[in-house]
């Protein structure tokens, strides 16, 4: 007899677990199943499922039997908020066996009297170490309530907490996937738009350049154009030419980011590469110094030379634009982590602390003619190599790139 009872209980639990599995993908359905199963497992007369919403408010999500609960109602101090939050914070079941006298449930005195509620049990739900909600069970007319039922409810609580928690997480993941998808398609569209704009700009730039050349060559006054009109025309053509070139640069930068291909990984020695890069740079008065790790001499690693060149050139250009007088470029082998560090340290203006955390985001700039795309491109290139880039700015500004030591 005893064995039959145990078997039927196990069957009940397996069925509940099955129901939770079936409801996957539908948050509200999972809540309904939790409440229905809770009613069955506990043999209670009423069950109410209260969940925390995004704003951390407590909301009645499901009530069974449905007609006597205020579904979608927010729990207020008048409807037991203090006690419910206490139970959720305490992480353990609270049982009220004499509700008529117990002051903790004074807020529901009317219900207790109307229905003849004899016991109330509060079961907090948890997921990932955080409280997510609470189940409230009521028994009426002295409904018997044994140690066994308590054990069953505890076990059920674990199952329900997990089912709801997983469903909540899935809901969040689905939202993120959708968001990523939106961003990806936005990226694709913006790159198409950038292409169209670039084509038109090339035409505008070409014609404004030709107009500017013609006007520069003509001697106003001697030709059909009088000198005042000639000056005006030249000034206007110059503005069109300058602005179209500026726009072309922005559009090209956007295209570089959105259509950045995978790096072509070929064997190079990082120290040799940096020495050659520095030779090609027009330092414009900025003192460039290299401090290269001897351990890296003769070590070849895989990277895309053209892409890495964009990074180095742009870091140096940024230092120059920050009124730096010197820049030190260092390499270091981090043998244990199997990575190589390349750092660029410059003096000059320090980075505004307000923009420091967003410095690698596109369009973050302090320059009137900057696009704010330089560092975004560098970060994108470094990440495509499986590396990372960090920044610190105080007395000196330092950008540190780490690249995995992938042997070619
Ligand atoms: N080495 C540096 N020293 C001080 N500030 C820097 C340095 N590098 C970047 N910054 C700051 O970071 C901002 C963003 O740099 P980023 O290269 O992304 O864009 P930008 O230089 O403003 O524009 P663009 O690269 O299109 O000319 C700069 O406007 C500047 O304020
Ligand atoms: Mg820049």
């Amino acid at each position: 007899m005893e064995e039959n009872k145990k078997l039927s209980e196990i069957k009940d639990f397996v069925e509940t677990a099955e129901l939770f599995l079936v409801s996957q993908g539908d948050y509200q359905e999972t809540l309904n199943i939790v409440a229905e199963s809770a009613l069955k497992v506990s043999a209670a007369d009423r069950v109410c499922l209260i969940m925390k919403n995004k704003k951390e408010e407590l909301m009645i999500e499901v009530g069974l039997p449905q007609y006597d609960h205020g579904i979608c109602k927010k729990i207020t101090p008048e409807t037991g908020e203090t006690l419910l939050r206490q139970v959720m914070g305490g992480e353990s079941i609270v049982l009220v066996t004499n509700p008529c006298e117990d002051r903790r449930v004074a807020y529901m005195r009317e219900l207790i009297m109307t229905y003849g509620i004899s016991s109330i049990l509060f079961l907090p739900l948890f997921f990932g170490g955080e409280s997510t909600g609470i189940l409230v069970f009521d028994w009426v007319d002295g409904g018997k309530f044994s140690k066994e039922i308590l054990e069953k409810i505890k076990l059920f609580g674990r199952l329900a907490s997990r089912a709801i928690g997983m469903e909540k997480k899935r809901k969040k993941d689905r939202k993120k996937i959708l968001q990523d998808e939106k961003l990806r398609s936005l990226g694709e569209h913006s790159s198409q738009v950038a292409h169209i704009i670039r084509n038109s700009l090339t035409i505008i730039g070409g014609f404004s350049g030709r107009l500017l050349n013609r006007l520069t060559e003509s001697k106003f006054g001697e030709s059909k154009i009088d000198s005042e009109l000639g000056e005006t025309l030249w000034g206007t053509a110059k503005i069109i030419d300058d602005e179209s070139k500026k726009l072309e640069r922005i559009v090209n930068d956007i295209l570089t980011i959105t259509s950045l291909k995978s790096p072509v990984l070929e064997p190079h020695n990082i120290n040799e590469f940096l020495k050659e890069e520095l030779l090609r740079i027009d330092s414009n008065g900025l003192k460039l110094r290299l401090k290269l790790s001897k351990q890296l001499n003769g070590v070849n690693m895989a990277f895309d030379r053209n892409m890495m060149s964009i990074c180095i050139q742009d870091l140096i250009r940024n230092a120059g634009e920050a009124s730096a007088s010197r820049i030190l470029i260092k390499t270091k082998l981090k043998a244990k982590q199997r990575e190589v560090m390349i750092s660029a340290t410059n003096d000059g203006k320090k980075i505004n602390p307000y923009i420091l955390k967003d410095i690698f985001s596109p369009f973050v700039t302090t320059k009137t003619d900057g696009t704010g795309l330089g560092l975004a491109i560098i970060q994108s290139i470094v990440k495509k190599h499986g590396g990372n880039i960090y920044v610190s700015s105080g007395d000196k500004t330092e950008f540190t790139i780490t690249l995995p030591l992938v042997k070619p």
Side-chain angles (χ1 to χ4, degrees):
M1 194 63 194
E2 188 63 21
E3 259 177 34
N4 277 350
K5 206 174 141 212
K6 283 245 152 60
L7 259 173
S8 114
E9 276 173 9
I10 293 173
K11 203 172 136 246
D12 276 356
F13 266 98
V14 171
E15 273 173 11
T16 311
E18 260 175 3
L19 278 174
F20 288 155
L21 285 172
V22 171
S23 73
Q24 269 184 17
D26 188 337
Y27 181 63
Q28 190 54 49
E29 183 60 14
T30 304
L31 297 188
N32 292 341
I33 291 174
V34 165
E36 277 161 24
S37 311
L39 202 63
K40 202 167 137 196
V41 166
S42 62
D45 295 288
R46 293 155 36 100
V47 160
C48 175
L49 173 58
I50 298 161
M51 297 297 298
K52 257 191 204 167
N53 67 10
K54 262 193 219 147
K55 292 190 217 153
E56 296 282 304
E57 295 163 336
L58 301 182
M59 305 293 293
I60 302 179
E61 295 289 350
V62 193
L64 293 173
Q66 237 168 30
Y67 57 85
D68 61 4
H69 287 84
I71 307 297
C72 290
K73 260 203 188 147
K74 193 170 118 184
I75 299 282
T76 59
E78 292 74 42
T79 52
E81 189 175 4
T82 321
L83 173 68
L84 293 175
R85 288 202 189 270
Q86 250 172 28
V87 178
M88 287 165 79
E91 299 186 23
S92 55
I93 285 181
V94 168
L95 179 62
V96 177
T97 47
N98 194 357
C100 288
E101 314 278 301
D102 202 315
R103 291 184 57 194
R104 289 176 298 175
V105 290
Y107 68 89
M108 56 184 287
R109 180 92 359 117
E110 217 184 301
L111 270 179
I112 293 167
M113 303 311 268
T114 316
Y115 289 100
I117 295 172
S118 49
S119 315
I120 309 170
L121 186 141
F122 298 89
L123 172 73
L125 303 172
F126 282 87
F127 187 70
E130 271 180 39
S131 81
T132 50
I134 188 163
L135 268 164
V136 186
F137 302 78
D138 302 339
W139 286 267
V140 302
D141 292 335
K144 272 279 174 238
F145 165 88
S146 59
K147 215 176 150 196
E148 250 174 60
I149 289 192
L150 193 64
E151 286 309 311
K152 267 167 94 174
I153 290 178
K154 275 189 196 164
L155 276 176
F156 173 78
R158 278 169 55 186
L159 199 61
S161 289
R162 198 155 182 86
I164 296 178
M166 294 293 286
E167 201 44 57
K168 243 188 161 155
K169 188 175 169 299
R170 249 178 249 125
K171 202 171 149 191
K172 219 166 137 189
D173 290 349
R174 273 196 299 275
K175 230 175 158 177
K176 188 173 176 313
I177 291 170
L178 252 151
Q179 183 71 6
D180 287 353
E181 189 55 33
K182 270 193 210 153
L183 283 179
R184 201 180 57 75
S185 94
L186 188 72
E188 272 171 18
H189 284 111
S190 57
S191 101
Q192 282 166 9
V193 173
H195 269 289
I196 296 168
I197 297 177
R198 185 170 66 176
N199 291 346
S200 299
L201 279 175
T202 315
I203 297 169
I204 296 171
F207 276 106
S208 60
R210 266 167 65 184
L211 187 61
L212 211 54
N213 285 343
R214 276 290 307 275
L215 291 170
T216 311
E217 282 161 14
S218 343
K219 290 200 179 74
F220 309 131
E222 289 173 17
S223 61
K224 284 184 187 150
I225 307 172
D226 74 48
S227 53
E228 204 186 318
L229 179 62
E231 295 293 329
T232 313
L233 281 178
W234 190 90
T236 313
K238 178 88 177 94
I239 292 171
I240 296 172
D241 201 51
D242 286 351
E243 291 301 311
S244 67
K245 289 218 168 68
K246 203 155 92 189
L247 274 178
E248 218 176 314
R249 208 185 117 212
I250 298 176
V251 172
N252 277 337
D253 278 352
I254 293 174
L255 278 172
T256 311
I257 290 192
T258 54
S259 59
L260 212 57
K261 305 247 165 16
S262 296
V264 180
L265 298 178
E266 279 171 348
H268 304 287
N269 177 275
I270 191 81
N271 287 353
E272 292 307 317
F273 160 76
L274 287 171
K275 279 188 217 160
E276 284 163 35
E277 269 311 290
L278 260 57
L279 286 178
R280 299 199 301 121
I281 282 174
D282 174 14
S283 62
N284 218 352
L286 179 70
K287 277 206 182 88
L288 293 163
R289 205 160 65 84
L290 281 176
K291 195 171 165 203
L292 303 172
S293 152
K294 285 198 183 75
Q295 282 177 292
L296 282 167
N297 285 342
V299 176
N300 269 355
M301 56 189 280
F303 61 88
D304 185 314
R305 217 186 150 88
N306 291 333
M307 282 189 170
M308 215 39 80
S309 169
I310 294 178
C311 299
I312 302 300
Q313 304 277 346
D314 224 27
L315 285 178
I316 296 172
R317 189 159 62 87
N318 273 346
E321 287 169 356
S323 316
S325 59
R326 51 189 75 228
I327 179 164
L328 172 68
I329 297 183
K330 285 192 289 191
T331 56
K332 191 170 166 189
L333 171 69
K334 291 177 85 185
K336 224 176 174 182
Q337 289 89 337
R338 301 215 40 81
E339 59 182 30
V340 169
M341 252 171 64
I342 307 149
S343 63
T345 315
N346 61 271
D347 55 353
K349 271 188 261 168
K350 78 179 230 187
I351 301 179
N352 186 330
Y354 293 110
I355 65 161
L356 195 64
K357 67 175 179 14
D358 298 318
I359 201 88
F360 297 108
S361 303
F363 307 113
V364 172
T365 182
T366 53
K367 301 167 194 168
T368 44
D369 60 346
T371 64
L373 288 169
L375 288 172
I377 293 176
I378 297 178
Q379 188 191 49
S380 197
I381 290 178
V382 171
K383 289 220 159 150
K384 277 188 185 286
H385 278 79
N388 232 322
I389 179 160
Y390 308 93
V391 63
S392 68
S393 192
D395 280 349
K396 300 235 166 92
T397 294
E398 182 169 73
F399 285 91
T400 307
I401 293 175
T402 60
L403 290 179
L405 186 63
V406 189
K407 289 278 174 63

